[in-house]
Amino acid sequence: MPSVTVNGGRVVYEILGTTGTLVVLTPGGRFGMDIPGLRPLADALVERGHTVLLWDRPNCGASDVQFYGVSESHMRAETLAGLLTELGLGPCALAGGSGGARDSLLTAIQYPELVTRLVLWNIVGGTYGLFNLGAHYILPSLQVVGGAGIPGLLKLREWRERVEQNPGNEQRLLALDRDEFVKLSLRWLNAYVQKPGQTVPGVDDDLFDRIRVPTLIIRGGAQDLDHPRRTSLEISCLIEGAELIDPPWPEDAWERAMADRATGRIDRFNLFDTWVLAAPAIAEFLARP
């Protein structure tokens, strides 16, 4: 895979298609661009005449691990802006789900000159969703470093996987300063603490007025605790002119996927398998004048 260096870290990417609107497509979590369910959506958009940029964000896939910024999503927004600049691409459309929605949203807020349209779905919010983010992505590393120092990070599956996909990440992890890592982890954790005036973790609501591009939001499922319907409704109100549509997948798609993962049935219903169903709505939105 091709790569470029942004802020001292290698970022791996892939470009599909050669025509139409350029769309940066970003998955959720700390998943890389090889996560099942993402490429079918990318291929569907290419089939509809668009070009798609897939990328492994820092701490995802085969890209280098990196640790800086107000939050992990702030870091990724800065990385995406650097990636587009290095490649001489943009302005372009940004589309992302779950954590990818947050990364895309922050990029549009911080680098509006790079964004022409915005598509968001599975937006994380609410007490349960934010507690879950901090507990899943920050606390395990913070706790293991507290007990075993920086080398303890290599005991955690997610960092071992980053080394497996990119052997250079082992030295990048071991070179971290313990005290600085703890300080950064606490800052990232604090971003996930629910606060008045922050519908999206670490982002003040009054910053949403910087988004002046057409925006499409696919609302959260009625009972989805990770991506509440309320959060997507609130964000549609914060972004002037945003269009909110019902999900094109089953109302309980996320809950079913989580249940299958809990019982080991990830072969039957992956977290992002239904995302391809959004291709017609996204393509229609991108085709508007």
Side-chain angles (χ1 to χ4, degrees), residues 16-17 19 21 23 25 37-52 54 273-284 286:
L16 308 176
T19 62
T21 301
V23 185
L25 184 58
L38 185 68
R39 188 167 291 269
L41 174 56
D43 289 340
L45 293 175
V46 171
E47 289 172 3
R48 287 167 170 79
H50 300 292
T51 299
V52 175
L54 301 175
D273 278 350
T274 56
W275 283 11
V276 66
L277 299 176
I282 294 174
E284 188 277 328
L286 296 175

Side-chain angles (χ1 to χ4, degrees), residues 21-99:
T21 301
L22 172 64
V23 185
V24 179
L25 184 58
T26 307
R30 282 188 178 148
F31 296 112
M33 58 182 167
D34 60 348
I35 182 68
L38 185 68
R39 188 167 291 269
L41 174 56
D43 289 340
L45 293 175
V46 171
E47 289 172 3
R48 287 167 170 79
H50 300 292
T51 299
V52 175
L53 170 64
L54 301 175
W55 62 303
D56 280 347
R57 297 161 291 164
N59 306 335
C60 303
S63 289
D64 286 348
V65 295
Q66 291 190 280
F67 304 92
Y68 64 88
V70 175
S71 73
E72 196 162 17
S73 284
H74 283 81
M75 176 182 70
R76 289 169 175 169
E78 185 175 337
T79 301
L80 178 54
L83 174 63
L84 292 171
T85 300
E86 287 290 328
L87 295 177
L89 300 174
C92 61
L94 304 184
S98 198

Side-chain angles (χ1 to χ4, degrees), residues 150-151 153 168-178:
I150 290 296
L153 291 174
N169 276 332
E170 180 171 7
Q171 186 53 44
R172 291 181 70 89
L173 287 168
L174 292 175
L176 293 170
D177 178 84
R178 179 190 179 280

Side-chain angles (χ1 to χ4, degrees), residues 70-71 130 134 138-139 142 182-195 198 200-203:
V70 175
S71 73
L130 299 190
I138 308 299
L139 289 184
L142 192 55
V182 169
K183 182 178 179 181
L184 174 131
S185 296
L186 290 171
R187 183 167 68 246
W188 283 10
L189 181 63
N190 183 59
Y192 293 133
V193 175
Q194 195 169 25
K195 303 177 183 68
Q198 287 192 356
V200 171
V203 183

Side-chain angles (χ1 to χ4, degrees), residues 150-170:
I150 290 296
L153 291 174
L154 298 176
K155 298 179 181 179
L156 297 178
R157 174 178 158 183
E158 70 172 327
W159 301 123
R160 291 200 309 272
E161 289 177 344
R162 299 291 69 74
V163 172
E164 290 169 3
Q165 288 194 264
N166 177 354
N169 276 332
E170 180 171 7

Side-chain angles (χ1 to χ4, degrees), residues 250-262:
E251 194 77 32
D252 63 346
W254 187 258
E255 297 93 303
R256 289 165 55 191
M258 293 299 291
D260 283 349
R261 286 178 66 84

